[in-house]
Amino acid sequence: MSDLAGRVALVTGASRGLGLATARALAAAGAKVAVTDLTAPEDLAHEIGGIARAQDVTSEADWAATMDWVKAAAGGLDILVNNAGLWLFKPITETTLDDWRRLHSVNVEGVFLGTRAAIPLLAERAHLWRGGTAIVNLSSVAGLQGAAGASCYNSTKGAVRLFTKGCAVELAGARIRVNSVHPGVIDTDMGRKLVDDFAAAQGAGNNEMLAQVSAMHPLGHLGEPRNVADAVVFLASDRAAFTTGSELVVDGGLHAG
Ligand SMILES: NC(=O)c1ccc[n+]([C@@H]2O[C@H](COP(=O)([O-])OP(=O)(O)OC[C@H]3O[C@@H](n4cnc5c(N)ncnc54)[C@H](O)[C@@H]3O)[C@@H](O)[C@H]2O)c1
């Protein structure tokens, strides 16, 4: 598949999990991929013929430098994937203001800063493609429904969902499409941490909880990172040329019941 030949994509939080799988899938679809994380994902960049940089998504200055870097090294930007994120599982009564701010700083402010920083570059190249240029934000099923112990995470992912829609409307005139992806529990470090946290909270064994969490998804298992990566590639491509402000749920049916 070479749907994305000629395009430059940037994926944050790309060292592992969904960011890693998404970077690989975008590269397989023909894009030149710039990958960033707190430590530069150099090996991944080497593997996929991309470029790597260390970036903290909570830093405004780092976003400006990252845009300068991608413009200088790759000529511009066609696709931004705001993927970096943190998980928190704590009862609301135990959630500290620092917890709240740390999570919102990465999961919400990071998405805002990235979107704002990328708009000039995305607008510059939007005329090149039938479907314009694209931003894909990683929200979650937790951005659609609540879960005990996840209220802070729910807040961040709900914010990403509606921030996405506001941006979609505002940026349509510039031919920049903005969509969110809502995964169920996916088999990554974060997904496994969720299972462990649920197990600890309920005094269950980790394997027993893994079976329970798997069964919460009507398809009967955790998602694979590539399931989410494929959804991101679709939203980034001209196949989604008329899709903006949408929420693509990739959850094995979890939210459908
Ligand atoms: N795995 C799941 O079950 C699941 C489900 C729904 C949504 N999500 C969302 O998908 C995204 C990726 O999840 P994942 O499972 O790959 O998580 P993960 O924890 O495996 O990886 C997250 C990556 O983000 C990076 N990161 C964290 N803070 C950062 C910062 N300040 N600046 C730059 N990078 C930073 C980490 O270093 C890490 O490489 C997250 O936004 C997450 O909330 C995950």
Side-chain angles (χ1 to χ4, degrees):
M1 192 168 67
S2 58
D3 281 10
L4 301 180
R7 292 184 221 210
V8 179
L10 173 70
V11 183
T12 65
S15 288
R16 63 180 197 227
L18 302 187
L20 174 79
T22 297
R24 281 183 174 145
L26 289 165
K32 170 100 177 164
V33 186
V35 287
T36 74
D37 206 306
L38 292 170
T39 303
E42 297 288 358
D43 290 350
L44 172 62
H46 184 69
E47 175 199 318
I48 63 176
I51 53 175
R53 182 177 194 277
Q55 182 199 10
D56 181 341
V57 297
T58 67
S59 161
E60 193 172 12
D62 224 350
W63 269 111
T66 299
M67 290 302 118
D68 290 347
W69 164 77
V70 80
K71 171 100 180 165
L77 186 67
D78 305 284
I79 298 160
L80 171 66
V81 184
N82 282 312
N83 166 78
L86 297 178
W87 161 250
L88 180 73
F89 186 72
K90 263 190 188 182
I92 183 70
T93 48
E94 290 170 25
T95 300
T96 65
L97 187 54
D98 278 351
D99 288 333
W100 181 270
R101 287 180 173 156
R102 184 172 52 90
L103 224 70
H104 284 76
S105 160
V106 176
N107 294 7
V108 186
E109 282 179 26
V111 176
F112 155 65
L113 290 172
T115 299
R116 200 186 56 180
I119 287 168
L121 293 190
L122 293 171
E124 219 171 85
R125 288 171 63 99
H127 69 281
L128 293 177
W129 317 110
R130 183 169 61 85
T133 49
I135 299 174
V136 182
N137 295 327
L138 266 292
S139 178
S140 171
V141 161
L144 303 172
Q145 65 191 52
S151 58
C152 181
Y153 186 74
N154 286 142
S155 169
T156 67
K157 293 301 180 179
V160 168
R161 172 178 174 266
L162 269 182
F163 176 70
T164 299
K165 293 184 193 302
C167 290
V169 175
E170 189 167 330
L171 300 177
R175 304 194 66 245
I176 302 171
R177 294 180 298 102
V178 193
N179 292 286
S180 55
V181 175
H182 299 256
V185 183
I186 313 294
D187 197 357
T188 66
D189 288 5
M190 187 186 288
R192 290 289 174 152
K193 177 78 169 59
L194 175 149
V195 170
D196 293 350
D197 285 346
F198 281 14
Q202 294 182 28
N206 288 13
N207 287 339
E208 182 193 335
M209 186 51 63
L210 178 59
Q212 273 187 46
V213 172
S214 298
M216 279 162 38
H217 300 74
L219 286 180
H221 55 86
L222 301 192
E224 296 173 23
R226 70 174 181 188
N227 299 142
V228 177
D230 285 343
V232 176
V233 170
F234 164 70
L235 289 171
S237 77
D238 287 344
R239 290 173 194 252
F242 200 50
T243 302
T244 195
S246 80
E247 42 194 77
L248 182 45
V249 179
V250 184
D251 71 343
L254 175 63
H255 185 61

